[in-house]
């Protein structure tokens, strides 16, 4: 599970029979802090390559942009390849199973919901806030 900001416009391509595949870079940050002995620990930012398929990729293509905050659930995949010098390299990717858009959208412009949840398994998507609020007794 990751919560972070999109670092650049996502790349979306279509492969085999029109299946959408999106790739984006997600930055996650850990706040800096001061230890009890006065040592300063600086803020740390990590970058993650996230791969999204099918409906997730189509949503990314329409609604996700640089700077947007996302919640991603997925699994880690390691890819091995040889670089131009013939050296063996490893790439670590997050293959997303679920995504939630956390960036609020301007209500004046016709945009997506402010809180959009998408999953590869449609039955795994939680009900929207409005649907949840209908069942509340107050």
């Amino acid at each position: 599970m990751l919560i972070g900001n999109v670092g650049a416009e996502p790349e979306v391509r279509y492969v085999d029979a029109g299946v959408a595949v999106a790739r984006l870079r997600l930055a996650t940050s850990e706040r800096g802090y001061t230890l009890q002995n006065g040592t300063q620990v600086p803020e740390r930012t990590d970058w993650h390559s996230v791969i999204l398929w099918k409906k997730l990729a189509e949503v990314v293509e329409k609604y996700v942009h640089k700077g947007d905050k996302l919640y991603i659930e997925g699994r880690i995949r390691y890819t091995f390849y040889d670089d131009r010098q013939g050296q063996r390299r490893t790439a670590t990717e997050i293959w997303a199973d679920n995504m939630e858009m956390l960036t609020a959208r301007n209500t004046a412009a016709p945009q997506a919901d402010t809180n959009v949840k998408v999953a590869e398994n449609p039955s795994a998507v939680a009900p929207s806030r409005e649907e949840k609020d209908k069942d509340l007794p107050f």
Side-chain angles (χ1 to χ4, degrees), residues 21-47:
V21 181
R23 176 183 300 269
L24 59 86
R25 300 278 294 158
L26 193 73
T28 58
S29 296
E30 184 177 333
R31 288 187 180 154
Y33 55 93
T34 304
L35 298 174
Q36 288 182 347
N37 67 5
T39 303
Q40 296 280 334
V41 177
E43 180 174 313
R44 176 185 164 151
T45 301
D46 291 310
W47 288 91

Side-chain angles (χ1 to χ4, degrees), residues 38 41 49 88 130:
V41 177
S49 293
R88 191 70 161 168
E130 294 81 6

